[in-house]
Amino acid sequence: MKSKTEYLFFETPERRALVNITGRLEKLVAGSQVQEGLCLVSAMHITAGIWVNDEEEGLKQDVMDWLERLAPVADYRHHRTGEDNGDAHLKRTLMHHQALLPVTKGKLDLGPWEQVFYAEFDGRRRKRVVVKIIGE
Amino acid sequence: MKSKTEYLFFETPERRALVNITGRLEKLVAGSQVQEGLCLVSAMHITAGIWVNDEEEGLKQDVMDWLERLAPVADYRHHRTGEDNGDAHLKRTLMHHQALLPVTKGKLDLGPWEQVFYAEFDGRRRKRVVVKIIGE
Amino acid sequence: MKSKTEYLFFETPERRALVNITGRLEKLVAGSQVQEGLCLVSAMHITAGIWVNDEEEGLKQDVMDWLERLAPVADYRHHRTGEDNGDAHLKRTLMHHQALLPVTKGKLDLGPWEQVFYAEFDGRRRKRVVVKIIGE
């Protein structure tokens, strides 16, 4: 069994952002020399997630607006600690914080429109994503 | 390490459907000869998901009604591209697009009521799910 | 390839609870002797989930209140079967029922604030979580 672990770092200038990381993941998979296996992509900070969906500008705005409706900026109990990012914890929960990508014949085995996004909900600081590839 | 990759195809006559695929997955696991490992089930089209829950007709209607409340058919920015399925992208996000099933002693290691569903939100066309089993 | 499968049991005195299981998972990983691999944690009962987020009391109350807003106790079709836990099936769906944790250098490779919770939405009875660790 082969394994490779890498960390991607992000520091988005905006508080909220969707960053397409598909190309970076493809390179990591190629470098791992895994032909058949699994690639875990998981946001290590609890106000960010991973989203697998379409690279389409309108939809990306739609999903951000929708998250704001379901998990709005508001006065959360969490803010008694001095934080102001309660909504970001809930948005991460809705989007889910990780995805597991199949690796087949040495490549990410994604559908024709599947793109992988780092979903930032409390940016403007350095944050990390773990990528772990295992297989043969 | 053994690995096996299969693709399931769906073309539901309805726009929205929950298709129980547990039996098909059990057969794929048996055919893989993996005794201990993991079975990834992931919808490759971005308007479908995978749901692990109860095979109970009332609940299946409840979850579809609930998804419509939280991610309704509406006029999304995404529709400027000519698409009309913005809600389906959001419903996939809520349901999540994949599940990872443990394989123990050569079988899916599911709880007593856990059933695996392909969740279609924009059907009437041919769509695909990847099943990747790895282990020993 | 090494693999280890364990089951955690829960019987919470409350109907709803968030139980931090990070320490228990760390012990299972240490016992597995896996240095590089993946640890699947999945709720086997369909009214419970797994949540990876912050050990902060206010936030834990926030997320429970939020789940009640999005997936409230109500009169569901599912209740015609004699059950009264339709909301719990939906809350599990929102929180997701599983997480996959990377194992690096023999330890859970979590972010600085990531903690793993068993999320119970219909407790007061014995329920089970599968933990499956594979790797080398």
Side-chain angles (χ1 to χ4, degrees):
Chain A
M1 205 196 82
K2 287 196 185 89
S3 75
K4 182 171 181 178
T5 308
E6 297 275 351
Y7 303 93
L8 303 178
F9 291 88
F10 299 88
E11 188 167 351
T12 62
E14 315 84 11
R15 180 150 191 173
R16 297 186 192 100
L18 289 171
V19 183
N20 191 326
I21 57 173
T22 316
R24 293 172 74 177
L25 297 173
E26 282 169 349
K27 277 180 203 150
L28 292 179
V29 167
S32 75
Q33 300 189 297
V34 167
Q35 292 296 305
E36 297 296 324
L38 300 170
C39 172
L40 171 66
V41 186
S42 193
M44 301 183 85
H45 289 257
I46 51 189
T47 50
I50 300 294
W51 189 53
V52 180
N53 220 293
D54 201 358
E55 180 54 89
E56 197 279 299
E57 202 51 46
L59 182 71
K60 286 158 70 182
Q61 292 178 42
D62 288 331
V63 80
M64 288 306 225
D65 287 355
W66 174 73
L67 290 170
E68 183 59 30
R69 267 204 316 282
L70 293 193
V73 171
D75 184 26
Y76 292 103
R77 286 194 192 85
H78 183 48
H79 298 175
R80 295 179 195 163
T81 63
E83 293 283 356
D84 65 353
N85 59 8
D87 71 297
H89 291 267
L90 304 179
K91 286 174 172 113
R92 160 182 161 109
T93 300
L94 275 175
M95 288 286 252
H96 205 49
H97 67 284
Q98 58 184 195
L100 186 63
L101 311 174
V103 177
T104 305
K105 297 180 185 168
K107 298 193 177 196
L108 286 180
D109 195 357
L110 296 173
W113 296 280
E114 281 190 309
Q115 296 285 304
V116 186
F117 296 91
Y118 171 68
E120 177 62 84
F121 302 115
D122 188 23
R124 302 181 205 141
R125 42 179 163 165
R126 189 166 160 86
K127 294 168 86 171
R128 198 155 59 118
V129 167
V130 57
V131 180
K132 185 136 201 154
I133 304 161
I134 70 165
E136 264 186 351
Chain B
M1 205 196 81
K2 287 194 185 89
S3 75
K4 182 171 182 178
T5 308
E6 297 274 352
Y7 303 92
L8 304 178
F9 292 88
F10 299 88
E11 188 167 352
T12 64
E14 315 85 10
R15 180 150 190 172
R16 297 187 191 98
L18 289 170
V19 183
N20 191 326
I21 57 173
T22 317
R24 293 172 74 176
L25 296 173
E26 281 169 348
K27 275 179 203 150
L28 292 179
V29 167
S32 74
Q33 300 189 295
V34 167
Q35 291 296 304
E36 299 295 324
L38 299 170
C39 173
L40 172 66
V41 186
S42 194
M44 300 182 87
H45 290 256
I46 51 190
T47 50
I50 301 294
W51 188 53
V52 181
N53 220 292
D54 201 357
E55 180 54 89
E56 199 279 299
E57 203 49 48
L59 182 70
K60 285 157 70 182
Q61 293 177 43
D62 288 331
V63 80
M64 288 307 224
D65 288 355
W66 174 74
L67 288 170
E68 184 57 31
R69 266 205 315 281
L70 293 192
V73 171
D75 184 26
Y76 292 102
R77 286 194 191 85
H78 182 49
H79 298 175
R80 296 180 195 164
T81 63
E83 293 283 355
D84 66 352
N85 59 7
D87 70 297
H89 290 267
L90 303 179
K91 287 174 171 114
R92 159 183 162 110
T93 300
L94 275 175
M95 288 287 251
H96 204 50
H97 67 284
Q98 58 183 196
L100 186 63
L101 311 174
V103 177
T104 304
K105 296 178 187 170
K107 298 194 174 193
L108 286 180
D109 195 357
L110 296 174
W113 295 281
E114 280 191 308
Q115 297 285 304
V116 186
F117 296 90
Y118 172 68
E120 178 62 84
F121 302 116
D122 188 23
R124 302 183 205 139
R125 43 178 164 166
R126 189 167 161 86
K127 293 167 86 172
R128 198 155 58 119
V129 167
V130 57
V131 180
K132 185 135 203 155
I133 303 161
I134 70 163
E136 265 187 351
Chain C
M1 206 196 80
K2 287 195 184 88
S3 76
K4 182 171 181 178
T5 308
E6 297 275 351
Y7 304 92
L8 303 180
F9 292 88
F10 298 88
E11 189 167 351
T12 63
E14 315 84 8
R15 181 150 191 173
R16 297 186 192 99
L18 289 171
V19 184
N20 191 326
I21 57 173
T22 317
R24 294 171 74 176
L25 297 172
E26 281 170 348
K27 277 181 201 148
L28 293 178
V29 167
S32 75
Q33 299 190 297
V34 168
Q35 292 296 304
E36 298 295 325
L38 299 170
C39 172
L40 172 65
V41 186
S42 193
M44 301 183 85
H45 290 257
I46 52 190
T47 50
I50 302 294
W51 188 54
V52 181
N53 220 291
D54 200 358
E55 179 55 89
E56 198 281 298
E57 202 50 47
L59 181 71
K60 286 158 69 181
Q61 292 178 42
D62 289 330
V63 80
M64 289 306 225
D65 287 355
W66 174 74
L67 288 170
E68 184 58 31
R69 266 205 315 282
L70 293 193
V73 172
D75 184 26
Y76 293 102
R77 286 193 191 85
H78 183 47
H79 298 175
R80 295 179 195 163
T81 63
E83 292 284 355
D84 66 352
N85 59 7
D87 71 298
H89 291 267
L90 304 180
K91 287 174 171 113
R92 160 182 161 108
T93 300
L94 275 176
M95 287 287 251
H96 204 50
H97 67 284
Q98 57 184 196
L100 185 63
L101 312 174
V103 177
T104 306
K105 297 181 187 169
K107 299 195 173 191
L108 287 180
D109 195 356
L110 297 173
W113 296 280
E114 280 190 309
Q115 296 285 304
V116 186
F117 295 90
Y118 172 68
E120 177 63 84
F121 302 116
D122 188 23
R124 301 180 205 142
R125 43 179 163 164
R126 188 167 163 88
K127 293 168 85 171
R128 199 155 59 116
V129 167
V130 58
V131 180
K132 185 134 200 155
I133 303 161
I134 69 164
E136 264 186 351

